[in-house]
mmCIF file of all heavy atoms in Angstrom:
data_model
loop_
_atom_site.group_PDB
_atom_site.id
_atom_site.type_symbol
_atom_site.label_atom_id
_atom_site.label_comp_id
_atom_site.label_asym_id
_atom_site.label_seq_id
_atom_site.Cartn_x
_atom_site.Cartn_y
_atom_site.Cartn_z
ATOM 1 N N ALA A 69 28.135 35.860 34.654
ATOM 2 C CA ALA A 69 27.299 36.350 33.663
ATOM 3 C C ALA A 69 26.654 35.319 32.802
ATOM 4 O O ALA A 69 25.498 35.341 32.403
ATOM 5 C CB ALA A 69 28.063 37.324 32.735
ATOM 6 N N ILE A 70 27.511 34.335 32.450
ATOM 7 C CA ILE A 70 27.109 33.128 31.675
ATOM 8 C C ILE A 70 25.921 32.394 32.509
ATOM 9 O O ILE A 70 24.880 32.117 31.894
ATOM 10 C CB ILE A 70 28.133 32.081 31.431
ATOM 11 C CG1 ILE A 70 29.130 32.695 30.375
ATOM 12 C CG2 ILE A 70 27.672 30.747 30.966
ATOM 13 C CD1 ILE A 70 30.473 31.882 30.183
ATOM 14 N N ALA A 71 26.079 32.215 33.790
ATOM 15 C CA ALA A 71 25.092 31.621 34.644
ATOM 16 C C ALA A 71 23.858 32.396 34.697
ATOM 17 O O ALA A 71 22.685 31.903 34.633
ATOM 18 C CB ALA A 71 25.643 31.329 36.037
ATOM 19 N N THR A 72 23.974 33.749 34.713
ATOM 20 C CA THR A 72 22.828 34.608 34.827
ATOM 21 C C THR A 72 22.020 34.589 33.551
ATOM 22 O O THR A 72 20.886 34.503 33.470
ATOM 23 C CB THR A 72 23.283 36.103 35.071
ATOM 24 O OG1 THR A 72 24.137 36.045 36.279
ATOM 25 C CG2 THR A 72 22.079 36.972 35.409
ATOM 26 N N GLU A 73 22.749 34.551 32.320
ATOM 27 C CA GLU A 73 22.153 34.445 31.129
ATOM 28 C C GLU A 73 21.333 33.134 30.966
ATOM 29 O O GLU A 73 20.418 33.075 30.150
ATOM 30 C CB GLU A 73 23.167 34.651 29.937
ATOM 31 C CG GLU A 73 23.608 36.008 29.783
ATOM 32 C CD GLU A 73 22.741 36.942 28.970
ATOM 33 O OE1 GLU A 73 21.653 36.504 28.617
ATOM 34 O OE2 GLU A 73 23.132 38.104 28.702
ATOM 35 N N MET A 74 21.756 32.155 31.655
ATOM 36 C CA MET A 74 21.071 30.800 31.516
ATOM 37 C C MET A 74 19.667 30.856 32.125
ATOM 38 O O MET A 74 18.928 29.982 31.857
ATOM 39 C CB MET A 74 21.931 29.678 32.215
ATOM 40 C CG MET A 74 23.175 29.353 31.389
ATOM 41 S SD MET A 74 22.811 28.845 29.741
ATOM 42 C CE MET A 74 21.835 27.345 29.935
ATOM 43 N N ILE A 75 19.442 31.851 33.008
ATOM 44 C CA ILE A 75 18.111 31.938 33.596
ATOM 45 C C ILE A 75 16.956 32.028 32.563
ATOM 46 O O ILE A 75 16.049 31.264 32.553
ATOM 47 C CB ILE A 75 18.032 33.136 34.728
ATOM 48 C CG1 ILE A 75 19.028 32.784 35.852
ATOM 49 C CG2 ILE A 75 16.599 33.267 35.259
ATOM 50 C CD1 ILE A 75 19.117 33.879 36.798
ATOM 51 N N PRO A 76 17.000 33.006 31.594
ATOM 52 C CA PRO A 76 15.928 32.982 30.643
ATOM 53 C C PRO A 76 16.177 32.061 29.486
ATOM 54 O O PRO A 76 15.188 31.658 28.775
ATOM 55 C CB PRO A 76 16.052 34.434 30.031
ATOM 56 C CG PRO A 76 17.389 34.933 30.301
ATOM 57 C CD PRO A 76 17.918 34.202 31.581
ATOM 58 N N LEU A 77 17.405 31.640 29.298
ATOM 59 C CA LEU A 77 17.723 30.605 28.325
ATOM 60 C C LEU A 77 17.033 29.154 28.578
ATOM 61 O O LEU A 77 16.760 28.579 27.675
ATOM 62 C CB LEU A 77 19.259 30.414 28.172
ATOM 63 C CG LEU A 77 19.896 31.148 26.965
ATOM 64 C CD1 LEU A 77 21.424 30.820 26.986
ATOM 65 C CD2 LEU A 77 19.289 30.708 25.605
ATOM 66 N N THR A 78 16.939 28.970 29.924
ATOM 67 C CA THR A 78 16.308 27.652 30.321
ATOM 68 C C THR A 78 14.912 27.553 29.841
ATOM 69 O O THR A 78 14.599 26.471 29.142
ATOM 70 C CB THR A 78 16.390 27.403 31.836
ATOM 71 O OG1 THR A 78 17.747 27.593 32.198
ATOM 72 C CG2 THR A 78 15.984 26.079 32.210
ATOM 73 N N PRO A 79 13.994 28.455 30.168
ATOM 74 C CA PRO A 79 12.625 28.325 29.580
ATOM 75 C C PRO A 79 12.616 28.401 28.037
ATOM 76 O O PRO A 79 11.738 27.831 27.435
ATOM 77 C CB PRO A 79 11.848 29.516 30.101
ATOM 78 C CG PRO A 79 12.836 30.444 30.767
ATOM 79 C CD PRO A 79 14.066 29.635 30.997
ATOM 80 N N MET A 80 13.551 29.110 27.493
ATOM 81 C CA MET A 80 13.639 29.225 25.956
ATOM 82 C C MET A 80 14.082 27.850 25.341
ATOM 83 O O MET A 80 13.358 27.436 24.385
ATOM 84 C CB MET A 80 14.743 30.201 25.604
ATOM 85 C CG MET A 80 14.592 30.661 24.149
ATOM 86 S SD MET A 80 15.860 31.842 23.634
ATOM 87 C CE MET A 80 15.309 33.357 24.443
ATOM 88 N N ILE A 81 14.878 27.152 25.998
ATOM 89 C CA ILE A 81 15.320 25.796 25.490
ATOM 90 C C ILE A 81 14.077 24.899 25.752
ATOM 91 O O ILE A 81 13.806 24.036 24.849
ATOM 92 C CB ILE A 81 16.611 25.310 26.163
ATOM 93 C CG1 ILE A 81 17.771 26.213 25.625
ATOM 94 C CG2 ILE A 81 16.841 23.893 25.951
ATOM 95 C CD1 ILE A 81 18.981 26.043 26.452
ATOM 96 N N TYR A 82 13.409 24.913 26.960
ATOM 97 C CA TYR A 82 12.187 24.131 27.118
ATOM 98 C C TYR A 82 11.213 24.349 26.115
ATOM 99 O O TYR A 82 10.555 23.456 25.627
ATOM 100 C CB TYR A 82 11.765 24.402 28.525
ATOM 101 C CG TYR A 82 10.458 23.513 28.863
ATOM 102 C CD1 TYR A 82 10.717 22.213 29.194
ATOM 103 C CD2 TYR A 82 9.325 24.130 28.913
ATOM 104 C CE1 TYR A 82 9.538 21.482 29.454
ATOM 105 C CE2 TYR A 82 8.152 23.353 29.216
ATOM 106 C CZ TYR A 82 8.322 21.982 29.488
ATOM 107 O OH TYR A 82 7.181 21.270 29.838
ATOM 108 N N GLY A 83 10.970 25.619 25.766
ATOM 109 C CA GLY A 83 9.998 26.011 24.713
ATOM 110 C C GLY A 83 10.423 25.386 23.332
ATOM 111 O O GLY A 83 9.506 24.929 22.610
ATOM 112 N N LEU A 84 11.755 25.337 23.013
ATOM 113 C CA LEU A 84 12.177 24.840 21.793
ATOM 114 C C LEU A 84 11.976 23.262 21.826
ATOM 115 O O LEU A 84 11.578 22.762 20.794
ATOM 116 C CB LEU A 84 13.666 25.172 21.514
ATOM 117 C CG LEU A 84 13.936 26.577 21.040
ATOM 118 C CD1 LEU A 84 15.360 26.913 21.243
ATOM 119 C CD2 LEU A 84 13.470 26.782 19.643
ATOM 120 N N VAL A 85 12.157 22.615 22.940
ATOM 121 C CA VAL A 85 11.827 21.128 23.038
ATOM 122 C C VAL A 85 10.359 21.007 22.859
ATOM 123 O O VAL A 85 10.028 19.998 22.104
ATOM 124 C CB VAL A 85 12.257 20.708 24.488
ATOM 125 C CG1 VAL A 85 11.828 19.250 24.682
ATOM 126 C CG2 VAL A 85 13.783 20.711 24.618
ATOM 127 N N LYS A 86 9.502 21.811 23.468
ATOM 128 C CA LYS A 86 8.068 21.539 23.154
ATOM 129 C C LYS A 86 7.705 21.900 21.743
ATOM 130 O O LYS A 86 6.750 21.174 21.213
ATOM 131 C CB LYS A 86 7.318 22.568 24.107
ATOM 132 C CG LYS A 86 7.295 22.074 25.503
ATOM 133 C CD LYS A 86 6.483 20.805 25.669
ATOM 134 C CE LYS A 86 6.751 19.986 26.899
ATOM 135 N NZ LYS A 86 6.073 18.688 26.977
ATOM 136 N N LEU A 87 8.285 22.891 21.176
ATOM 137 C CA LEU A 87 8.050 23.226 19.711
ATOM 138 C C LEU A 87 8.433 22.045 18.803
ATOM 139 O O LEU A 87 7.813 21.686 17.919
ATOM 140 C CB LEU A 87 8.791 24.490 19.361
ATOM 141 C CG LEU A 87 8.362 25.295 18.188
ATOM 142 C CD1 LEU A 87 6.859 25.727 18.375
ATOM 143 C CD2 LEU A 87 9.131 26.617 18.177
ATOM 144 N N LYS A 88 9.610 21.378 19.183
ATOM 145 C CA LYS A 88 10.078 20.238 18.512
ATOM 146 C C LYS A 88 9.117 19.065 18.531
ATOM 147 O O LYS A 88 8.823 18.427 17.488
ATOM 148 C CB LYS A 88 11.458 19.834 19.106
ATOM 149 C CG LYS A 88 12.338 19.053 18.262
ATOM 150 C CD LYS A 88 13.613 18.764 18.925
ATOM 151 C CE LYS A 88 14.009 17.231 18.784
ATOM 152 N NZ LYS A 88 15.195 16.946 19.369
ATOM 153 N N GLU A 89 8.568 18.838 19.720
ATOM 154 C CA GLU A 89 7.525 17.898 19.990
ATOM 155 C C GLU A 89 6.270 18.125 19.093
ATOM 156 O O GLU A 89 5.723 17.170 18.462
ATOM 157 C CB GLU A 89 7.144 17.869 21.570
ATOM 158 C CG GLU A 89 6.506 16.663 21.994
ATOM 159 C CD GLU A 89 6.196 16.696 23.465
ATOM 160 O OE1 GLU A 89 7.122 17.064 24.272
ATOM 161 O OE2 GLU A 89 5.001 16.526 23.841
ATOM 162 N N LEU A 90 5.857 19.365 19.052
ATOM 163 C CA LEU A 90 4.682 19.800 18.275
ATOM 164 C C LEU A 90 4.955 19.448 16.818
ATOM 165 O O LEU A 90 4.147 18.918 16.131
ATOM 166 C CB LEU A 90 4.388 21.292 18.486
ATOM 167 C CG LEU A 90 3.216 21.784 17.788
ATOM 168 C CD1 LEU A 90 1.971 21.177 18.317
ATOM 169 C CD2 LEU A 90 3.078 23.402 17.890
ATOM 170 N N PHE A 91 6.141 19.862 16.269
ATOM 171 C CA PHE A 91 6.402 19.653 14.859
ATOM 172 C C PHE A 91 6.557 18.189 14.556
ATOM 173 O O PHE A 91 6.204 17.771 13.411
ATOM 174 C CB PHE A 91 7.616 20.387 14.418
ATOM 175 C CG PHE A 91 7.462 21.796 14.268
ATOM 176 C CD1 PHE A 91 8.207 22.727 14.919
ATOM 177 C CD2 PHE A 91 6.351 22.359 13.515
ATOM 178 C CE1 PHE A 91 7.974 24.117 14.841
ATOM 179 C CE2 PHE A 91 6.136 23.682 13.374
ATOM 180 C CZ PHE A 91 6.928 24.600 14.076
ATOM 181 N N ARG A 92 6.947 17.332 15.579
ATOM 182 C CA ARG A 92 7.092 15.832 15.299
ATOM 183 C C ARG A 92 5.691 15.301 15.187
ATOM 184 O O ARG A 92 5.421 14.470 14.332
ATOM 185 C CB ARG A 92 7.773 15.228 16.524
ATOM 186 C CG ARG A 92 7.969 13.677 16.283
ATOM 187 C CD ARG A 92 8.489 13.070 17.619
ATOM 188 N NE ARG A 92 9.746 13.619 18.033
ATOM 189 C CZ ARG A 92 10.956 13.187 17.472
ATOM 190 N NH1 ARG A 92 10.999 12.237 16.714
ATOM 191 N NH2 ARG A 92 12.014 13.763 18.083
ATOM 192 N N LEU A 93 4.677 15.853 16.058
ATOM 193 C CA LEU A 93 3.296 15.384 15.852
ATOM 194 C C LEU A 93 2.735 15.738 14.484
ATOM 195 O O LEU A 93 2.048 14.965 13.839
ATOM 196 C CB LEU A 93 2.478 16.070 16.921
ATOM 197 C CG LEU A 93 2.741 15.482 18.367
ATOM 198 C CD1 LEU A 93 2.048 16.380 19.469
ATOM 199 C CD2 LEU A 93 2.071 14.107 18.460
ATOM 200 N N TYR A 94 2.999 16.973 14.065
ATOM 201 C CA TYR A 94 2.506 17.390 12.794
ATOM 202 C C TYR A 94 3.171 16.551 11.669
ATOM 203 O O TYR A 94 2.478 16.213 10.654
ATOM 204 C CB TYR A 94 2.880 18.902 12.531
ATOM 205 C CG TYR A 94 2.093 19.794 13.270
ATOM 206 C CD1 TYR A 94 2.473 21.086 13.622
ATOM 207 C CD2 TYR A 94 0.716 19.578 13.678
ATOM 208 C CE1 TYR A 94 1.801 22.050 14.366
ATOM 209 C CE2 TYR A 94 0.063 20.393 14.400
ATOM 210 C CZ TYR A 94 0.512 21.722 14.720
ATOM 211 O OH TYR A 94 -0.241 22.562 15.494
ATOM 212 N N GLU A 95 4.411 16.241 11.788
ATOM 213 C CA GLU A 95 5.112 15.407 10.759
ATOM 214 C C GLU A 95 4.453 14.044 10.697
ATOM 215 O O GLU A 95 4.446 13.517 9.536
ATOM 216 C CB GLU A 95 6.590 15.306 11.221
ATOM 217 C CG GLU A 95 7.560 14.892 10.124
ATOM 218 C CD GLU A 95 8.974 14.760 10.703
ATOM 219 O OE1 GLU A 95 9.350 15.426 11.624
ATOM 220 O OE2 GLU A 95 9.676 13.812 10.282
ATOM 221 N N ASN A 96 3.974 13.539 11.794
ATOM 222 C CA ASN A 96 3.385 12.241 11.744
ATOM 223 C C ASN A 96 1.936 12.256 11.562
ATOM 224 O O ASN A 96 1.232 11.284 11.677
ATOM 225 C CB ASN A 96 3.656 11.521 13.140
ATOM 226 C CG ASN A 96 5.114 11.194 13.385
ATOM 227 O OD1 ASN A 96 5.894 10.885 12.432
ATOM 228 N ND2 ASN A 96 5.627 11.163 14.566
ATOM 229 N N GLY A 97 1.340 13.442 11.094
ATOM 230 C CA GLY A 97 -0.004 13.513 10.693
ATOM 231 C C GLY A 97 -0.978 13.674 11.850
ATOM 232 O O GLY A 97 -2.151 13.754 11.705
ATOM 233 N N HIS A 98 -0.515 13.930 13.090
ATOM 234 C CA HIS A 98 -1.340 14.247 14.245
ATOM 235 C C HIS A 98 -1.544 15.663 14.328
ATOM 236 O O HIS A 98 -0.598 16.443 14.704
ATOM 237 C CB HIS A 98 -0.742 13.681 15.495
ATOM 238 C CG HIS A 98 -0.440 12.204 15.403
ATOM 239 N ND1 HIS A 98 -1.379 11.195 15.201
ATOM 240 C CD2 HIS A 98 0.715 11.440 15.493
ATOM 241 C CE1 HIS A 98 -0.866 10.044 15.140
ATOM 242 N NE2 HIS A 98 0.453 10.238 15.371
ATOM 243 N N ILE A 99 -2.762 16.202 14.046
ATOM 244 C CA ILE A 99 -3.021 17.702 14.033
ATOM 245 C C ILE A 99 -3.795 18.097 15.193
ATOM 246 O O ILE A 99 -3.485 19.041 15.849
ATOM 247 C CB ILE A 99 -3.635 18.209 12.680
ATOM 248 C CG1 ILE A 99 -3.079 17.428 11.449
ATOM 249 C CG2 ILE A 99 -3.779 19.506 12.557
ATOM 250 C CD1 ILE A 99 -1.755 17.990 11.006
ATOM 251 N N PHE A 100 -4.832 17.360 15.490
ATOM 252 C CA PHE A 100 -5.678 17.796 16.643
ATOM 253 C C PHE A 100 -5.750 16.622 17.632
ATOM 254 O O PHE A 100 -6.782 15.896 17.717
ATOM 255 C CB PHE A 100 -7.198 18.045 16.056
ATOM 256 C CG PHE A 100 -7.261 19.149 14.951
ATOM 257 C CD1 PHE A 100 -7.569 18.757 13.676
ATOM 258 C CD2 PHE A 100 -6.966 20.421 15.343
ATOM 259 C CE1 PHE A 100 -7.624 19.678 12.711
ATOM 260 C CE2 PHE A 100 -6.999 21.437 14.396
ATOM 261 C CZ PHE A 100 -7.349 21.100 13.063
ATOM 262 N N THR A 101 -4.664 16.491 18.361
ATOM 263 C CA THR A 101 -4.683 15.523 19.506
ATOM 264 C C THR A 101 -4.385 16.097 20.799
ATOM 265 O O THR A 101 -4.103 17.363 20.871
ATOM 266 C CB THR A 101 -3.594 14.409 19.150
ATOM 267 O OG1 THR A 101 -2.331 15.047 19.251
ATOM 268 C CG2 THR A 101 -3.691 13.830 17.755
ATOM 269 N N THR A 102 -4.456 15.387 21.862
ATOM 270 C CA THR A 102 -4.245 15.854 23.169
ATOM 271 C C THR A 102 -2.787 16.311 23.330
ATOM 272 O O THR A 102 -2.472 17.258 23.985
ATOM 273 C CB THR A 102 -4.623 14.838 24.289
ATOM 274 O OG1 THR A 102 -4.009 13.600 23.942
ATOM 275 C CG2 THR A 102 -6.111 14.684 24.496
ATOM 276 N N GLY A 103 -1.890 15.652 22.611
ATOM 277 C CA GLY A 103 -0.478 15.903 22.632
ATOM 278 C C GLY A 103 -0.342 17.322 22.082
ATOM 279 O O GLY A 103 0.503 18.137 22.629
#
Side-chain angles (χ1 to χ4, degrees):
Chain A
I70 289 171
T72 308
E73 285 281 4
M74 286 306 293
I75 296 171
L77 261 179
T78 306
M80 199 181 282
I81 289 166
Y82 179 76
L84 284 167
V85 167
K86 283 290 155 188
L87 205 53
K88 202 177 133 177
E89 200 180 306
L90 181 66
F91 286 126
R92 186 190 297 277
L93 286 166
Y94 287 153
E95 196 183 327
N96 294 329
H98 304 300
I99 313 285
F100 301 113
T101 68
T102 45

